[in-house]
Amino acid sequence: MSISNLTSRISGFHRMSAEERREAVAAFAGLDGAATAQLARDGNIDPHLAEHMIENVVSSIAIPVGVATNLRIDGEDVLVPMATEESSVVAAVCNSARQCYDRGGFTTSMSGGEMIAQVQLLGVADPESARLRILERRAEIGALCDACDPMLVRLGGGFRDLEVRILPSRGGTMVIVHLIVDTRDAMGANTVNTMAETLAPRLAEWSGGRSLLRILSNLADRRLARARAVWPVEAIGGEAVRDGMLAAYHFAEADPYRAATHNKGIMNGVSAVVLATGNDTRAVEAGAHAYAARAGRYTSLTHWEMTAEGELAGMIELPMPVGLVGGATKIHPTAQACLKILGVKTAERLARIIAAVGLAQNFGAMKALATVGIQQGHMALHAHNVAIAAGAVGEEVGRVAAILVERRQVRQDAATEVLAQLRG
Ligand code: NAD
């Protein structure tokens, strides 16, 4: 991996105008004029393109794209575009990453790049024998899968392995075939679905049963992205903060009610990068939550512990089926501009960056919860939305928001009252 000298430590980034920030990002990422101009355009999707993407198009909805700073990932600084409608998500990543930047930032890895397609076989009289009959045809099955996508094979991907499971169910015993495919820089849903549909009649014939469902599994547990980082105790505000954060993690680890919200916070960061890069947020969300419950009990996607030196160490591991080609990644111009900001050349690098963002987001949420509470930071930003909803325009927005926060009354009725007072 190339180690660059570019720095993500852009001081005063949050105080710059959007135009200044675009210039800073363009300078960092070496964006051309077209990419910068695209970022400058609000509601930046061509209506004709939208028509090709989905059905019944009437409009498009613009979600703000913020850029997270301070991230150092595997020795390389990176600016990370995040698409989200939720206040304080981007700020939390910036703050969390700053607190581990001098300690080296994030170290990441990936388990592999394989997706799983499932073929459901019903009415198989001898499931155990059928399992072996199918496994005996591994080479033939591999060749049939690869023939579905010669381009993928040329790129070094294609069929990798075969699994056959016998699944007892409410409706009787099923035989489930897993086609395991390396989809390289594509998320791979369409790719593996095509393979499953092509193989299904053969599998039905060999098993003596009939095939029904033929589709990928979103529990992409052969495509796990991992990230870890260490936060020095002095950088996070002392031992009491560290111990509070560990207690917050222990709560999430032990309790599904807490874990759901803990993981939702992680996905605030993860989904924002997935969306900004034109990837499938639902696929990543489904995979993450299924993976969090893999031991039979829903739990935290992150792990936290104290190092021998008393520092706070965090780790995350979750399925990350994202691509640089396929789906909307290639055709949405804003997704393309966001991928250029990231400077990623492989889907693996993108997946690893997203894992680091998820860990940073979790750090931010746990720290806030274990200290001042989530509302202090959240409400300061949210107050702007409340002020706008109450009718504030221009400079009124900041003034109304500041008064709401000071009074600890970030509410619509209070905003209406404050606005009326300001306007005399
Ligand atoms: P795709 O079929 O559009 O593109 C993948 C193809 O691109 C490959 O078959 C390959 O031939 C080609 N390709 C070119 N360069 C490549 C490279 N460097 N690496 C790998 N392939 C390369 O897209 P996809 O990734 O197969 O499917 C993603 C889409 O499927 C998303 O839009 C997703 O929303 C949708 N989808 C998701 C689900 C789900 O359950 N998650 C189900 C169905 C569809």
Side-chain angles (χ1 to χ4, degrees):
M1 182 179 303
S2 67
I3 306 291
S4 77
N5 293 323
L6 291 167
T7 179
S8 64
R9 304 271 296 132
I10 304 176
S11 84
F13 192 74
H14 69 285
R15 285 190 297 273
M16 293 179 186
S17 67
E19 194 180 348
E20 289 167 333
R21 278 199 289 266
R22 270 197 300 278
E23 281 169 15
V25 170
F28 179 100
L31 297 188
D32 57 20
T36 315
Q38 174 60 32
L39 289 171
R41 228 167 281 139
D42 292 325
N44 48 12
I45 180 168
D46 183 327
H48 300 295
L49 173 58
E51 293 272 18
H52 288 294
M53 289 176 71
I54 66 162
E55 311 76 33
N56 298 1
V57 172
V58 294
S59 183
S60 61
I61 181 166
I63 298 291
V65 176
V67 166
T69 55
N70 302 331
L71 283 145
R72 189 162 184 78
I73 301 175
D74 299 318
E76 195 168 353
D77 277 29
V78 58
L79 294 179
V80 181
M82 302 176 69
T84 179
E85 86 301 341
E86 186 169 353
S87 308
S88 53
V89 166
V90 180
V93 171
C94 299
N95 286 331
S96 305
R98 180 175 45 75
Q99 292 167 55
C100 69
Y101 184 92
D102 292 334
R103 185 68 173 68
F106 299 82
T107 304
T108 69
S109 62
M110 190 94 191
S111 70
E114 292 160 355
M115 298 299 285
I116 300 166
Q118 298 189 295
V119 179
Q120 180 192 25
L121 299 172
L122 300 172
V124 179
D126 51 353
E128 296 287 353
S129 309
R131 177 172 173 272
L132 294 203
R133 287 200 298 276
I134 293 169
L135 287 172
E136 285 157 16
R137 294 188 182 256
R138 186 180 186 281
E140 191 179 347
I141 290 170
L144 286 167
C145 285
D146 284 345
C148 293
D149 199 337
M151 162 95 158
L152 183 64
V153 176
R154 271 200 299 283
L155 291 163
F159 176 84
R160 288 289 182 271
D161 208 354
L162 179 69
E163 280 176 350
V164 186
R165 298 164 51 217
I166 296 172
L167 188 70
S169 83
R170 212 176 264 271
T173 300
M174 301 173 185
V175 176
I176 307 296
V177 180
H178 283 192
L179 306 171
I180 295 157
V181 182
D182 184 334
T183 60
R184 309 304 286 177
D185 291 321
M187 180 267 188
N190 293 324
T191 310
V192 302
N193 289 348
T194 303
M195 293 178 183
E197 292 196 356
T198 305
L199 263 295
R202 301 294 187 86
L203 295 169
E205 186 189 318
W206 297 328
S207 69
R210 63 187 173 92
S211 67
L212 192 61
L213 303 197
R214 298 143 294 159
I215 189 161
L216 87 160
S217 169
N218 281 296
L219 177 49
D221 61 0
R222 290 166 173 263
R223 207 171 184 177
L224 301 174
R226 312 183 187 103
R228 65 183 174 87
V230 173
W231 280 265
V233 85
E234 57 280 7
I236 65 175
E239 291 176 3
V241 175
R242 176 200 64 202
D243 295 345
M245 291 177 69
L246 284 170
Y249 158 61
H250 295 151
F251 182 10
E253 203 278 326
D255 177 28
Y257 285 91
R258 174 61 212 141
T261 314
H262 180 90
N263 290 343
K264 188 275 180 183
I266 292 169
M267 301 314 285
N268 277 343
V270 167
S271 296
V273 189
V274 172
L275 184 59
T277 55
N279 275 289
D280 184 337
T281 51
R282 291 82 53 211
V284 175
E285 295 270 355
H289 294 294
Y291 191 69
R294 69 193 178 284
R297 178 173 67 82
Y298 186 83
T299 187
S300 168
L301 283 165
T302 53
H303 293 279
W304 294 88
E305 61 195 13
M306 195 172 80
T307 67
E309 292 74 35
E311 300 166 309
L312 183 65
M315 284 129 283
I316 189 168
E317 183 179 63
L318 74 173
M320 197 53 68
V322 291
L324 304 183
V325 296
T329 53
K330 270 275 195 222
I331 57 174
H332 199 301
T334 307
Q336 279 295 299
C338 287
L339 285 169
K340 284 184 187 167
I341 294 173
L342 284 160
V344 288
K345 300 284 183 284
T346 62
E348 175 176 333
R349 173 73 177 159
L350 174 61
R352 289 162 59 161
I353 289 172
I354 296 173
V357 169
L359 182 61
Q361 196 80 56
N362 188 224
F363 173 95
M366 284 205 317
K367 186 176 175 193
L369 285 167
T371 55
V372 294
I374 206 80
Q375 290 301 71
Q376 183 168 302
H378 195 72
M379 283 316 206
L381 283 157
H382 183 58
H384 288 249
N385 296 337
V386 175
I388 291 166
V393 288
E395 288 183 357
E396 287 173 347
V397 177
R399 291 174 66 193
V400 171
I403 295 168
L404 296 180
V405 170
E406 191 187 303
R407 291 186 188 169
R408 303 178 75 87
Q409 288 180 345
V410 185
R411 297 192 319 261
Q412 186 81 47
D413 59 327
T416 306
E417 190 189 309
V418 170
L419 185 62
Q421 283 167 1
L422 278 183
R423 289 178 176 175

